[in-house]
Amino acid sequence: MKHSAITENHLYNKVFQRGERFVGKYVTVHVLTDYAAKRRMLAHPQKRFTNRIGLSVTKKIGGAVERNRAKRILRAGLRAVEAETPLKTGKLIVIGARPDIAGKKSTDIRRELSFAFRKLDMLAAANGTGKKQ
């Protein structure tokens, strides 16, 4: 499922301050209920709730090449997790890279993201109704 990106800085700050958090070896995951989800669902062509995803990669990871690679493997890990089990919808999700992510494969990230979403109770039932959960 295609996600919207979090583009406003105040939403990142809100998720970091108020959201539930998981800290792993390679990633941190912050999740907060999206209060604009209903309005966004009504504007969606298929009338579905969606998640808004944000990636946070700091300069501690390395130069531009290393940061872009970290973002690519975060996206690939997220796609792999969603292929296994869909996520609950109507959430703001910020995935941050930690310095140990350098040189890791997307399978390592998928494993950690799957564990993080399980801990944060983000895995949806396999019914696939598309309703807010």
Side-chain angles (χ1 to χ4, degrees):
M1 168 185 280
K2 182 144 174 82
H3 300 286
S4 300
I6 298 176
T7 56
E8 297 94 9
N9 188 35
H10 70 93
L11 289 177
Y12 276 97
N13 291 334
K14 192 180 291 189
V15 173
F16 285 138
Q17 290 173 359
R18 300 183 195 162
E20 294 180 56
R21 178 176 62 173
F22 170 84
V23 179
K25 185 174 182 181
Y26 308 126
V27 298
T28 61
V29 180
H30 299 265
V31 176
L32 183 68
T33 301
D34 189 1
Y35 295 113
K38 174 92 175 179
R39 177 179 50 82
R40 295 176 55 81
M41 184 270 300
L42 295 173
H44 193 275
Q46 298 168 339
K47 303 297 182 211
R48 290 186 181 170
F49 286 97
T50 58
N51 289 328
R52 290 198 270 176
I53 305 286
L55 299 177
S56 174
V57 181
T58 67
K59 288 186 178 181
K60 291 179 184 178
I61 304 300
V65 173
E66 290 86 5
R67 290 196 305 271
N68 285 329
R69 183 181 190 286
K71 287 189 270 190
R72 277 197 316 271
I73 64 173
L74 285 175
R75 285 188 205 105
L78 181 63
R79 277 192 302 268
V81 168
E82 288 184 320
E84 294 172 359
T85 309
L87 298 177
K88 290 182 178 179
T89 56
K91 305 285 185 182
L92 294 169
I93 302 170
V94 176
I95 302 171
R98 295 182 46 94
D100 288 341
I101 201 169
K104 298 300 175 210
K105 303 288 185 191
S106 62
T107 54
D108 300 326
I109 305 307
R110 180 202 54 82
R111 192 176 308 117
E112 188 157 303
L113 283 175
S114 179
F115 183 73
F117 288 135
R118 198 173 323 117
K119 285 289 188 185
L120 293 170
D121 193 32
M122 279 293 297
L123 299 179
N127 61 7
T129 59
K131 293 183 180 178
K132 184 177 177 184
Q133 299 179 11

